[in-house]
Amino acid sequence: MENTAPSLDLFTRLEITLEVRNEAADAFDLFKQDAVMAHAPAPGDEPAITSDDAADAAAGEVDEFSAEVRGLLNDASDADLIGAYEQSGGVVGHPVAEALLGEIKRRGLGL
């Protein structure tokens, strides 16, 4: 069966990726709070999860998010980049607008 659902535009895909990243960051913050409040391990036992484990997990999430954004930007046509940037309103400080502007500048496209 053929998929007839319309595909999402670049701006929307970047917005979704950003939201997923924010949810992961929120979940990680909750994890850190729970870890701090958890009971200490029995004397002589190692903690089940260490702060190094948490740092490694956070770094992995950042790498995964960055790779996904780079992939979306690299695969986008010049017209898609400019259209998505215009859709963002070019708001300074907005992560999607900033990522799009960075890629537009990297490609040497004029606005």
Side-chain angles (χ1 to χ4, degrees):
M1 180 175 202
E2 185 178 333
N3 182 359
T4 58
S7 62
L8 298 174
D9 60 43
L10 177 60
F11 179 80
T12 303
R13 289 184 293 160
L14 287 168
E15 282 279 308
I16 290 169
T17 302
L18 177 65
E19 184 58 32
V20 169
R21 192 272 326 249
N22 289 344
E23 289 174 2
D26 290 346
F28 183 72
D29 286 343
L30 289 175
F31 167 78
K32 288 190 304 184
Q33 290 172 7
D34 290 346
V36 167
M37 296 184 327
H39 297 288
D45 290 343
E46 292 293 321
I49 298 175
T50 67
S51 59
D52 288 339
D53 295 331
D56 290 343
E61 288 289 329
V62 168
D63 290 345
E64 188 176 310
F65 167 74
S66 296
E68 186 172 351
V69 169
R70 274 193 311 275
L72 288 170
L73 294 174
N74 288 337
D75 293 344
S77 69
D78 293 351
D80 286 343
L81 284 173
I82 292 171
Y85 182 72
E86 289 171 353
Q87 188 177 355
S88 77
V91 177
V92 175
H94 188 279
V96 172
E98 296 288 338
L100 289 163
L101 182 59
E103 182 65 12
I104 288 168
K105 286 181 177 180
R106 187 188 73 75
R107 292 187 190 185
L109 305 174
L111 289 178

